[in-house]
Amino acid sequence: MSETNLVPAGTVTILCAGDEPPAVFATPEEALAALTGGPAALHTGDVLLREDGTPTGPAVRRCRHLRELADGRTLVSARTAAELPGRPLHDLGVHRLPDLTAPERIFQFGGRPGPLRSLDTTPNNLPVQLTGFVGRGTEAAELERRLAGGRLVTLAGTGGSGKTRLAAQVAAAGAGRWPDGVWWAELDAVTEPAEAAELVAATLGVPVEPHVGAVRSVVTHLRDRRVLLCLDNCEQVLDGVADLAVELLRSCPEVALLATSREPLGVPGETVWRVPPLAVDEAVALFVERAGAVRPLFTLDTSSAAAVRSVCTRLDGIPLAVELAAAWLGTLTPHQIDAGLDNRFALLTRGPRGVPARQQTLAASIAWSHDQLDDEDRTVFRRLAVFAGGFTLDAAGGPAALGRLVDKSLVLAENGRYRMLETIREYAAARLAEAGETDAVRDRHLDHFLAIAEAAEPDLDRDKDAWRARMEPERDNLRAALEWGLAREDPTRGRRLAAAVAWLWNLRGRGHEGLAYLKRAVARCPDERSTLQARLLTGMGLVADTTAPFDLEAARLGLELATELGAPSLRARCLSLTALGHLYTDFDAAWDVAIEAEKAAGSDGFARDSALMLRGIILQARDRHDEAGPLLAEAAEGLLRRGDRGLASTVLSAQSASALAAADLARARALAEHAVAVAAPLGDFHRVNTTLCRLAMVHCLAGEVDAGFRVMAPFLRLLETAGDVFVPGMAGVMGELHRRRGSFEEAERWFAREAVPGTYMASQGLAERGAVLRALGRTGEAAAVLATAVALTRQWGLRSALADALDQQGYLAEPEQAASLHHEALTLRLDHGIRLGVLDSLDALTALYARTGREADAARVSVSGSRARAELGFPRRPGEVELTTEDEPMSLDDVVAFVRRTRGARGRPSSGWGSLTPTELEVVKLATEGSTNPEIGAKLFMSRGTVKTHLAHVYAKLGIANRTELATVAATHLTA
C-alpha cells in the first residue's frame, strides 16, 4: 500500500486480533474491551495513519510479530502492561521477536500461562538489529521456499541492496525448522580464504584440530546436526567459503547454508537469488521509517510524498541509499534532498557509526565492489556508463568481462539484455571521467547506434514491426546518442540519427519529444539544402501527424526541398503528409494533394497507400461508401503487409464506420476489433484510443452500453493524467453512451466537446447534441444547434450527419415542415446507402404519423422498424416508443416504399413550388445562378447523373421544360 499523506495518530494502543487488520485505541483498556477472543496482541507506540485510516509504522509491525507468537492467547507488550495495573497479567519473560530487534518482555492477559515459541526456543546467534525490517514480504517468502527446496541459497546483490537484512529475516522466520541452531558468521573482516572456515568454527564453538584443519573440524561437528548456517559477506573470501560449502553439502545431509555475497560462490548445488531493488512503495515506507529517527513522526503530504517517491526512484530502491538520504531530513526538506541527488555521491555520506566503512557512504559501498575488479574489468565497467536504459551483449563488447560484472552484481541481466542501476551507472560515469575517456566512448556509443539505426532503415518500408522490435528497446540509448550527436561541433552524425529514427516518435505518446529532436537537428544547419535536411523535415511531418495534425509547415518545407533536389520518394511522402494536414480543414484540397501524391509515389508503398487511404476516408466521410470501399481495402492490404499499424488501424476504423452505415453489424464489429488489435502494439495514445472509440461505438449502437463503457474505461483513466487531450470520436462516443443510459446532462456536455471549430469536425455531435437538448426540454438551444449543424454539414458534404440534423429539426417543426425534413433525411440516406440511418428515419416518421392522427400508419411503420432492427441487431435507445399492431410487419425495403408512396397524399403537395424538397431547392438555386450540372454536382457532392435526375423531377413538378422557364419561375419564388 502506498505511503502517501500519512497523518500522525500520536501514542496509541494497537490491537492485532486474529486475521483482522490492526486497530488503534486511545488506551489499553479500550483495546481490551474490543477483544473478541482468538490469538491477539496489544502494544503501545507511536503510529501513523494512511489516508484510508490504516495504521502503519514500527509499532504496528511489532504488534503483528507479537500476535504471531500468541497461539490462541492474548499477549501484551511491557509498555502496554505498565498501563494495565490490576489486570491479570502473567509475566512470560524476555523474548526475541522475528524482526530481530531488541528482546521484549512479554505478558499474557488472563488464562493459564505457558511457554512461548519465540526465537529463543531455537539456539541461535542471529544479530540484534537496531532498526526495523521494512517490506520485502514477497522476497522473504520466496527465499523461504527456495531454502526449503535446496541446501545452499546465495543472496547476491550490489552493495547496499539489503542482502544481510533479508538473509537474517529469512533465517529468523524459519528458525523452528533447525532444532540444532541457526548460526550467523560475519565474514566481512576476513581477508584470507583459509580464515573463513576458522571464523565459522569459532562461531560454532568448535575446536580446530590442527592435523585436519578448520573445514574438517566444522564438518565433523555438524555431521549429524540439523543446522542453518548463515555466511554473510562472502565476496572477498569466495574460495574459502566455496571449499567449506562443498564439504558441508557432501558430508552433512541436514545442514543448510544461506550465504550473502556480491557474487555467487560458484559451487555445484548452489541456488543464486539476485536481490532486487525495493519496490517504490516499500522504499518510501523505509524512507519514512528511517526519517522518524531524525525527525520524530515525520509524515508525508501530497507535496513531500512526490519528492520522496522521486528520491526513492532515483536511488533505484537501494536500501542503503534510501536510508542515507533519509538521514538528511534533520537538515534538508524532501525537495532539497531530491535536488541534491544531482550529485548523489557527495550528498549520501552520512552513514551511521559502528558499521563497516563500506556501509557508511554510497560511494564507499560501490567502491568496495569496484576495487575488487581487475584492470580489464574496471575498463569495461566504466565504459558501460554511456549506455542508457540497458544494452545487449554485442553492444557491451562480448561475454567475458560482462559475465564477471554480472557475477559481482554491478550489472543486472534481464531477459537477454543488461543494465546498470542508475546509481551504479553514475559511479561508473565518474570513473570514466577520471580516466579522461568520456568523449571518446560517447563517440563510439553514437557510432554504434547510428550504424544500428541506418542498417534497420530498410525494414521501415517492408516490415515496421521488425523495425520497432529492433529500435524500441534502445530508445533510451538513442536519446543519449541524439543528445550527444546534436551537441557536437559537427552535428552530422546526430542529424543522420535523428532522420533514421523519426518513426520512433510516432509511438507511445512521444511525439512532442521527437519533434523537439527533429527541430534541433534542422536548426543545427538551417540553410542546408540537402537530402538529409529534406529527410528531417519529412520526419517532422510524420511525427506531427499525431502530435500537431494542423501544422503543415514542415511538410511544406520538405516538399519544396524534395522537389528542388529531385527526390521523388521524399516528395511523395511530403505530399501525403500535406494532404493529411488538409484532411481536417479542406476536403477538396486534401483530395487534390492526395491524387498528386499517388501519382508521385512510384515504388514508395507508404506514400501510395497513405494517399489511397486519404481519398477513401474523404469519400467515406461524404457517405460515398461504394466508391470508398475499394480504395480503403487496397490501402489496408499494403499498410498491413508492411506493418504500418498506425495508418492501417485508421483505415480499418473507417471501414468499420462504412459497415455501420450499411447496418452490417457483424462486419463492423470484426473490423473494429481488428483495428484495436492492429493499433495496440503501438502503445500510442492517439492511434489506440481512436480504435477503441470505434469499437465502443459498435457496442453502443448494438445496445451493449455496458460493454461500450468498459472499452472506454482505460482511456478515461488515462485522461485523468494526460489532461484534456483530443482524440477524434471520443466525445461523440461518450455522449452517445450516456445518452443511451438516460444521462442527458452528461451526454450534452460530451457532445459539446466533439465539435472542433475550423475543421469538418465542427459539425460532429451537433445533431446528437440537439437531440439531447430537446430531450432536456431546452428546445430553443436545440433549434440553434441544429441550424448550425445543417449549415455545416451541407458545407462539408456530410450526408449522414446532415440527415441526422434534418431529422432532429423535424421533431421540432410543424407537421408539414417536419414531413419535408424527415423525407429529405430519408432520401439522403437511401441515396447514399446509409441503411442504419433509414431505421432512424422510420422512427422519426412514426412519431410524425402519431402526432398527425395517422395512428394505424404509425403502428405499422413502428412494428416494421422493430423487426428490421431485430434482424440487423440495432435496438432502439431505451425509453423510445414502440407501437404495436396486428398487421404483419413489412420488410425494410417494403416499409420504406410505403412511407415514400403515401407521402404525397398526406404530406407535401405533389406538384408546384411547395412540392420541391430542400435538395431540389438547392439545385434550382445553383442552376438559376448559371452553374452547369458538373459544377452543381461538385458543390453539392453528388454525381452529374443525380443532378440531372433532380432537375427532371423539378421540371415535372413545376410543369416546365427547360432552364429558361425554370429561371422565370424561380425568379418569383427565390426573391419573395
Side-chain angles (χ1 to χ4, degrees):
M1 185 179 295
S2 179
E3 303 284 355
T4 58
N5 294 331
L6 296 172
V7 178
T11 303
V12 296
T13 296
I14 307 141
L15 170 63
C16 291
D19 295 325
E20 295 298 316
V24 295
F25 299 87
T27 67
E29 292 290 353
E30 290 181 12
L32 284 176
L35 280 173
T36 57
L42 281 74
H43 177 56
T44 301
D46 295 329
V47 166
L48 298 172
L49 297 179
R50 297 188 178 101
E51 287 185 77
D52 63 358
T54 304
T56 187
V60 175
R61 193 166 57 247
R62 189 77 166 171
C63 190
R64 282 198 180 107
H65 286 306
L66 193 59
R67 182 193 56 192
E68 291 170 7
L69 303 180
D71 194 23
R73 295 171 283 180
T74 297
L75 301 182
V76 180
S77 70
R79 185 170 180 182
T80 305
E83 299 182 37
L84 290 170
R87 285 288 194 168
L89 299 176
H90 305 287
D91 188 345
L92 302 181
V94 175
H95 296 267
R96 292 192 72 188
L97 301 183
D99 62 359
L100 295 177
T101 54
E104 171 89 29
R105 183 170 293 278
I106 299 174
F107 296 83
Q108 178 179 325
F109 175 73
R112 178 177 298 176
L116 287 180
R117 291 182 297 179
S118 67
L119 188 57
D120 301 297
T121 59
T122 300
N124 74 88
N125 69 332
L126 290 172
V128 173
Q129 304 293 346
L130 300 180
T131 56
F133 183 75
V134 179
R136 298 286 201 195
T138 301
E139 292 91 336
E142 173 66 12
L143 277 170
E144 289 174 34
R145 186 185 68 79
R146 289 176 180 263
L147 194 57
R151 294 180 51 217
L152 169 58
V153 176
T154 299
L155 280 67
T158 187
S161 62
K163 303 181 295 295
T164 295
R165 290 300 302 268
L166 181 56
Q169 188 66 34
V170 170
R177 293 179 49 222
W178 316 104
D180 294 318
V182 175
W183 305 104
W184 186 270
E186 173 55 66
L187 300 170
D188 65 332
V190 177
T191 58
E192 296 297 328
E195 296 175 353
E198 293 174 1
L199 187 142
V200 170
T203 299
L204 297 171
V206 176
V208 175
E209 169 57 48
H211 297 292
V212 298
V215 171
R216 181 51 51 191
S217 297
V218 170
V219 168
T220 300
H221 177 74
L222 295 179
R223 191 183 307 276
D224 300 319
R225 297 175 188 264
R226 294 178 62 189
V227 164
L228 174 63
L229 181 59
C230 305
L231 305 172
D232 188 35
N233 292 307
C234 302
E235 56 269 7
Q236 76 278 13
V237 285
L238 280 178
D239 290 343
V241 174
D243 290 343
L244 175 62
V246 168
E247 291 303 319
L248 288 170
L249 293 175
R250 284 175 176 166
S251 305
C252 305
E254 295 193 284
V255 170
L257 300 170
L258 184 62
T260 75
S261 178
R262 300 196 185 195
E263 59 182 299
L265 304 186
V267 302
E270 178 184 28
T271 297
V272 179
W273 196 83
R274 301 280 178 183
V275 178
L278 284 170
V280 175
D281 285 343
E282 289 188 342
V284 171
L286 176 64
F287 184 99
V288 171
E289 186 161 318
R290 298 298 187 259
V294 291
R295 280 178 58 184
L297 283 182
F298 167 73
T299 58
L300 297 179
D301 56 24
T302 302
S303 176
S304 63
V308 170
R309 287 184 75 84
S310 176
V311 167
C312 294
T313 300
R314 294 177 66 188
L315 293 175
D316 304 301
I318 299 174
L320 173 62
V322 172
E323 292 180 330
L324 293 173
W328 275 101
L329 271 178
T331 305
L332 304 175
T333 68
H335 292 282
Q336 289 172 325
I337 295 172
D338 191 23
L341 291 184
D342 291 341
N343 188 1
R344 67 187 66 195
F345 295 110
L347 179 71
L348 303 182
T349 57
R350 282 192 168 187
R353 294 184 177 88
V355 299
R358 68 176 186 277
Q359 296 178 13
Q360 292 183 359
T361 72
L362 186 59
S365 177
I366 301 173
W368 173 262
S369 294
H370 177 264
D371 292 347
Q372 294 181 50
L373 302 175
D374 61 26
D375 288 342
E376 179 186 352
D377 290 352
R378 288 182 188 180
T379 299
V380 174
F381 171 74
R382 65 177 178 262
R383 290 177 180 175
L384 292 177
V386 298
F387 290 104
F391 47 88
T392 63
L393 190 64
D394 289 341
L402 187 60
R404 291 191 292 271
L405 294 174
V406 170
D407 281 346
K408 294 181 183 297
S409 303
L410 291 169
V411 170
L412 303 179
E414 299 174 333
N415 300 319
R417 287 181 65 84
Y418 303 84
R419 71 179 178 94
M420 287 176 161
L421 295 177
E422 185 60 25
T423 298
I424 294 176
R425 194 175 79 87
E426 289 196 16
Y427 181 89
R431 305 290 77 75
L432 188 67
E434 284 178 0
E437 298 176 342
T438 300
D439 287 6
V441 176
R442 292 199 70 176
D443 272 339
R444 289 203 294 273
H445 178 269
L446 170 60
D447 288 338
H448 177 79
F449 285 101
L450 175 59
I452 286 177
E454 292 186 334
E457 281 191 278
D459 279 339
L460 286 170
D461 294 324
R462 61 192 180 209
D463 188 350
K464 275 198 176 66
D465 283 342
W467 186 88
R468 281 188 281 269
R470 194 170 180 183
M471 292 294 106
E472 182 65 20
E474 304 295 356
R475 62 185 181 277
D476 290 331
N477 280 310
L478 292 168
R479 286 186 181 108
L482 280 168
E483 290 288 351
W484 182 252
L486 293 176
R488 301 297 277 165
E489 183 177 353
D490 178 1
T492 302
R493 289 178 299 164
R495 282 162 46 83
R496 285 167 53 195
L497 181 59
V501 299
W503 274 102
L504 184 68
W505 313 113
N506 243 326
L507 310 176
R508 304 189 183 279
R510 292 194 290 266
H512 292 292
E513 180 186 7
L515 275 178
Y517 280 125
L518 288 160
K519 287 178 180 178
R520 282 173 60 191
V522 169
R524 284 304 312 269
C525 300
D527 301 322
E528 184 173 293
R529 309 295 288 177
S530 66
T531 301
L532 176 56
Q533 190 81 330
R535 291 180 63 211
L536 290 167
L537 290 166
T538 305
M540 287 176 63
L542 284 169
V543 179
D545 173 36
T546 56
T547 306
F550 307 137
D551 185 357
L552 301 179
E553 183 64 11
R556 184 188 66 79
L557 293 173
L559 175 60
E560 178 184 301
L561 188 51
T563 302
E564 173 189 318
L565 297 170
S569 179
L570 288 176
R571 181 174 181 274
R573 292 193 175 204
C574 287
L575 284 168
S576 291
L577 293 169
T578 302
L580 271 171
H582 285 312
L583 177 64
Y584 292 101
T585 56
D586 191 334
F587 279 169
D588 290 336
W591 179 273
D592 292 342
V593 177
I595 291 286
E596 188 178 357
E598 191 175 344
K599 291 177 181 176
S603 61
D604 191 316
F606 171 79
R608 181 183 61 82
D609 290 333
S610 59
L612 285 171
M613 175 200 75
L614 276 167
R615 292 174 56 211
I617 287 176
I618 292 168
L619 291 170
Q620 182 263 329
R622 287 175 166 171
D623 293 291
R624 293 163 64 175
H625 300 288
D626 289 343
E627 298 170 73
L631 296 178
L632 293 173
E634 186 178 352
E637 191 276 330
L639 293 166
L640 288 169
R641 184 180 65 251
R642 286 190 308 277
D644 275 308
R645 291 178 174 272
L647 294 186
S649 66
T650 300
V651 172
L652 291 167
S653 291
Q655 289 178 302
S656 176
S658 283
L660 275 181
D664 188 342
L665 180 60
R667 184 166 185 267
R669 190 189 301 276
L671 285 163
E673 290 173 345
H674 191 190
V676 170
V678 167
L682 299 177
D684 175 67
F685 189 95
H686 179 95
R687 300 291 190 195
V688 172
N689 290 307
T690 297
T691 61
L692 289 175
C693 288
R694 174 53 49 196
L695 179 58
M697 183 59 85
V698 172
H699 283 304
C700 181
L701 296 178
E704 303 156 359
V705 176
D706 289 343
F709 272 111
R710 284 195 297 273
V711 168
M712 296 300 290
F715 181 16
L716 296 177
R717 284 195 293 271
L718 276 176
L719 285 180
E720 295 175 3
T721 56
D724 190 17
V725 296
F726 170 70
V727 171
M730 175 264 296
V733 172
M734 292 306 302
E736 187 60 28
L737 286 168
H738 282 289
R739 181 184 178 190
R740 289 182 179 246
R741 271 199 177 169
S743 306
F744 294 128
E745 294 281 2
E746 187 67 15
E748 195 272 330
R749 282 192 289 271
W750 278 106
F751 283 132
R753 294 175 55 181
E754 182 75 346
V756 181
T759 73
Y760 79 89
M761 291 173 289
S763 65
Q764 301 299 291
L766 292 182
E768 293 80 2
R769 187 182 176 204
V772 171
L773 288 168
R774 178 172 59 82
L776 290 168
R778 294 156 60 180
T779 55
E781 293 175 72
V785 166
L786 292 171
T788 301
V790 169
L792 289 174
T793 51
R794 287 194 192 281
Q795 174 186 330
W796 283 93
L798 307 176
R799 295 319 191 195
S800 178
L802 172 58
D804 293 341
L806 292 171
D807 252 354
Q808 292 304 320
Q809 282 188 321
Y811 282 109
L812 295 174
E814 293 300 320
E816 183 175 345
Q817 180 64 18
S820 203
L821 292 165
H822 290 323
H823 276 280
E824 183 180 0
L826 176 59
T827 298
L828 283 168
R829 288 160 172 161
L830 291 171
D831 286 351
H832 292 84
I834 311 169
R835 199 167 176 80
L836 181 60
V838 169
L839 300 176
D840 291 330
S841 283
L842 295 180
D843 290 342
L845 289 166
T846 295
L848 176 64
Y849 294 158
R851 67 175 168 134
T852 54
R854 296 172 59 181
E855 290 84 0
D857 287 347
R860 194 173 183 195
V861 172
S862 179
V863 297
S864 299
S866 296
R867 187 176 82 166
R869 286 184 176 277
E871 290 173 348
L872 295 171
F874 296 99
R876 291 187 177 91
R877 295 178 184 87
E880 292 187 353
V881 177
E882 294 191 43
L883 304 179
T884 59
T885 180
E886 295 181 359
D887 292 342
E888 185 70 21
M890 294 178 279
S891 69
L892 182 58
D893 290 338
D894 286 345
V895 71
V896 167
F898 170 77
V899 299
R900 302 192 90 185
R901 184 172 64 250
T902 59
R903 181 199 173 190
R906 306 185 184 185
R908 185 192 303 274
S910 59
S911 62
W913 189 264
S915 70
L916 300 185
T917 69
T919 300
E920 289 167 348
L921 287 170
E922 286 187 79
V923 172
V924 168
K925 183 174 183 297
L926 291 171
T928 56
E929 291 174 353
S931 296
T932 64
N933 285 5
E935 289 171 341
I936 294 172
K939 291 175 182 178
L940 297 182
F941 308 108
M942 60 182 64
S943 69
R944 184 184 309 181
T946 300
V947 175
K948 188 175 180 180
T949 299
H950 279 305
L951 284 172
H953 289 163
V954 169
Y955 295 162
K957 289 179 179 181
L958 299 181
I960 60 178
N962 54 47
R963 284 197 176 211
T964 302
E965 294 178 23
L966 176 62
T968 302
V969 174
T972 302
H973 292 282
L974 292 177
T975 58

PDB file of all heavy atoms in Angstrom, residues 208 475 874:
ATOM      1  N   VAL A 208      39.403 -26.315  16.613  1.00  0.00           N
ATOM      2  CA  VAL A 208      40.004 -26.702  15.343  1.00  0.00           C
ATOM      3  C   VAL A 208      41.152 -27.670  15.610  1.00  0.00           C
ATOM      4  O   VAL A 208      42.114 -27.333  16.304  1.00  0.00           O
ATOM      5  CB  VAL A 208      40.509 -25.480  14.569  1.00  0.00           C
ATOM      6  CG1 VAL A 208      41.239 -25.922  13.305  1.00  0.00           C
ATOM      7  CG2 VAL A 208      39.356 -24.545  14.240  1.00  0.00           C
ATOM      8  N   ARG A 475      15.491   2.793 -27.091  1.00  0.00           N
ATOM      9  CA  ARG A 475      15.047   4.189 -27.164  1.00  0.00           C
ATOM     10  C   ARG A 475      15.861   5.096 -26.246  1.00  0.00           C
ATOM     11  O   ARG A 475      16.179   6.231 -26.618  1.00  0.00           O
ATOM     12  CB  ARG A 475      13.552   4.307 -26.856  1.00  0.00           C
ATOM     13  CG  ARG A 475      13.135   3.860 -25.471  1.00  0.00           C
ATOM     14  CD  ARG A 475      11.616   3.900 -25.321  1.00  0.00           C
ATOM     15  NE  ARG A 475      11.197   3.506 -23.993  1.00  0.00           N
ATOM     16  CZ  ARG A 475      11.053   2.255 -23.581  1.00  0.00           C
ATOM     17  NH1 ARG A 475      11.301   1.272 -24.424  1.00  0.00           N
ATOM     18  NH2 ARG A 475      10.681   1.974 -22.351  1.00  0.00           N
ATOM     19  N   PHE A 874     -29.674  -3.743 -34.232  1.00  0.00           N
ATOM     20  CA  PHE A 874     -29.531  -2.369 -33.741  1.00  0.00           C
ATOM     21  C   PHE A 874     -30.800  -1.957 -32.994  1.00  0.00           C
ATOM     22  O   PHE A 874     -31.727  -1.399 -33.597  1.00  0.00           O
ATOM     23  CB  PHE A 874     -29.273  -1.409 -34.905  1.00  0.00           C
ATOM     24  CG  PHE A 874     -27.977  -1.653 -35.619  1.00  0.00           C
ATOM     25  CD1 PHE A 874     -27.941  -2.377 -36.802  1.00  0.00           C
ATOM     26  CD2 PHE A 874     -26.790  -1.162 -35.097  1.00  0.00           C
ATOM     27  CE1 PHE A 874     -26.750  -2.610 -37.463  1.00  0.00           C
ATOM     28  CE2 PHE A 874     -25.589  -1.393 -35.755  1.00  0.00           C
ATOM     29  CZ  PHE A 874     -25.564  -2.124 -36.932  1.00  0.00           C
TER      30      PHE A 874
END
